[in-house]
Amino acid sequence: MEEKYQSPLVSVVIPALNEALNLRHVLPLIPSIVTEIVLVDGHSIDDTIAVVEQLRPTIRPSIKIITQTGKGKGDALRAGFAACVGDIIVTLDADGSTDPREIPLFVEALLRGNDFAKGSRCILGGGSHDFTRLRRVGNYGLRKFVNMLFRAQFTDLCYGYNAFWKYCLDKLDIDCDGFEVETLIHLRVHKAYLRIIEVPSVEYRRIYGKSNLHAFRDGWSVLRTIVRERSKNYFSPLPQPRLPLGPYIITDSHRVPEKSVL
């Protein structure tokens, strides 16, 4: 008798702080393959929770709302990951800068045998509408530094659109609270010898409001995180250099939003 294939459960974690206006546009675009949405509220003072409750009956995935106890994106992701029930976890921004319609591409990359699917704005099919010159230069310098120190082949470092199998959480042990969490996750996945694939992704400008990201302050936090991670187990062998990653092959072009192909 032929065994029936069962699709994995997919959880999407969305940290949100005063994102009521943006969530009206983001949540309806989350695809039907998602099992649950875990929205982590960072003590919003706008109508973030009210908007989510209003949209709940119209959204197919179930929505779980939790309130983080601390502050910062790292703290929010840590709380969100702990609440997930899915086999696959996807991280998504609430401001509209990451397109939920790309989620099937990340899931497909994992189903092909990879442990961690890492979004990249810097490979064929990816791009950014929000890369200021300062951010671009900073990301380039930090990425080059990381690739040299850790024998990595990352094409993008400070981008938070990721998907991974839940068992990867055992290797992450998130112990930071700020925006440097994305770099921390990428470094620890690499140091754990997990199989990483980069998936092209397009970053958009936030729809409404002002970003909580501060280029100099958060860039300094990223740099400190890099140095700290390299200083741990300094004499332990690093993963061997891998062949440069080629562009991710999309098997079904109809699943790619037309506007997200550059």
Side-chain angles (χ1 to χ4, degrees), residues 47-167:
D47 293 330
T48 291
I49 301 300
V51 165
V52 175
E53 293 293 354
Q54 180 185 6
L55 291 173
R56 190 192 292 271
T58 68
I59 305 296
R60 180 172 179 179
S62 64
I63 302 178
K64 184 186 299 181
I65 302 173
I66 62 176
T67 302
Q68 65 181 105
T69 55
K71 294 181 179 180
K73 188 172 185 178
D75 180 80
L77 288 179
R78 184 166 54 239
F81 293 162
C84 288
V85 300
D87 307 299
I88 290 174
I89 298 174
V90 182
T91 56
L92 191 73
D93 288 341
D95 60 5
S97 60
T98 50
D99 191 341
R101 291 170 295 185
E102 293 179 1
I103 290 175
L105 303 181
F106 285 82
V107 173
E108 179 188 346
L110 296 179
L111 295 178
R112 288 188 180 189
N114 298 291
D115 300 308
F116 192 96
K118 175 183 171 296
S120 175
R121 300 161 289 185
C122 306
I123 57 177
L124 182 64
S128 176
H129 298 281
D130 196 37
F131 244 163
T132 63
R133 180 170 298 188
L134 178 61
R135 286 184 64 207
R136 188 181 297 275
V137 170
N139 187 62
Y140 175 83
L142 291 169
R143 175 175 60 84
K144 285 289 189 181
F145 188 46
V146 161
N147 286 345
M148 179 186 69
L149 281 184
F150 293 87
R151 297 180 182 175
Q153 294 287 343
F154 295 138
T155 65
D156 199 349
L157 182 66
C158 306
Y159 188 46
Y161 204 164
N162 298 306
F164 53 89
W165 293 99
K166 193 174 184 178
Y167 59 74

Side-chain angles (χ1 to χ4, degrees), residues 243-254:
L243 293 175
L245 293 172
Y248 183 70
I249 304 301
I250 298 169
T251 59
D252 185 356
S253 60
H254 296 290

Side-chain angles (χ1 to χ4, degrees), residues 13 41 72 93 163 173 181:
V13 177
D41 179 57
D93 288 341
D173 187 25
V181 65

Side-chain angles (χ1 to χ4, degrees), residues 116-228:
F116 192 96
K118 175 183 171 296
S120 175
R121 300 161 289 185
C122 306
I123 57 177
L124 182 64
S128 176
H129 298 281
D130 196 37
F131 244 163
T132 63
R133 180 170 298 188
L134 178 61
R135 286 184 64 207
R136 188 181 297 275
V137 170
N139 187 62
Y140 175 83
L142 291 169
R143 175 175 60 84
K144 285 289 189 181
F145 188 46
V146 161
N147 286 345
M148 179 186 69
L149 281 184
F150 293 87
R151 297 180 182 175
Q153 294 287 343
F154 295 138
T155 65
D156 199 349
L157 182 66
C158 306
Y159 188 46
Y161 204 164
N162 298 306
F164 53 89
W165 293 99
K166 193 174 184 178
Y167 59 74
C168 294
L169 289 176
D170 296 335
K171 305 295 183 181
L172 298 185
D173 187 25
I174 296 174
D175 53 4
C176 67
D177 295 335
F179 284 100
E180 70 274 14
V181 65
E182 292 147 1
T183 298
L184 178 82
I185 289 174
H186 297 154
L187 293 179
R188 291 191 175 171
V189 168
H190 175 69
K191 289 165 64 177
Y193 296 88
L194 296 176
R195 187 178 177 87
I196 304 170
I197 185 73
E198 289 192 320
V199 177
S201 178
V202 177
E203 177 188 39
Y204 296 92
R205 294 185 180 91
R206 68 164 30 245
I207 304 171
Y208 296 104
K210 186 178 179 181
S211 173
N212 294 311
L213 180 70
H214 297 85
F216 285 106
R217 184 191 68 192
D218 294 316
W220 176 246
S221 296
V222 169
L223 182 58
R224 286 190 303 172
T225 298
I226 293 169
V227 173
R228 184 187 68 180

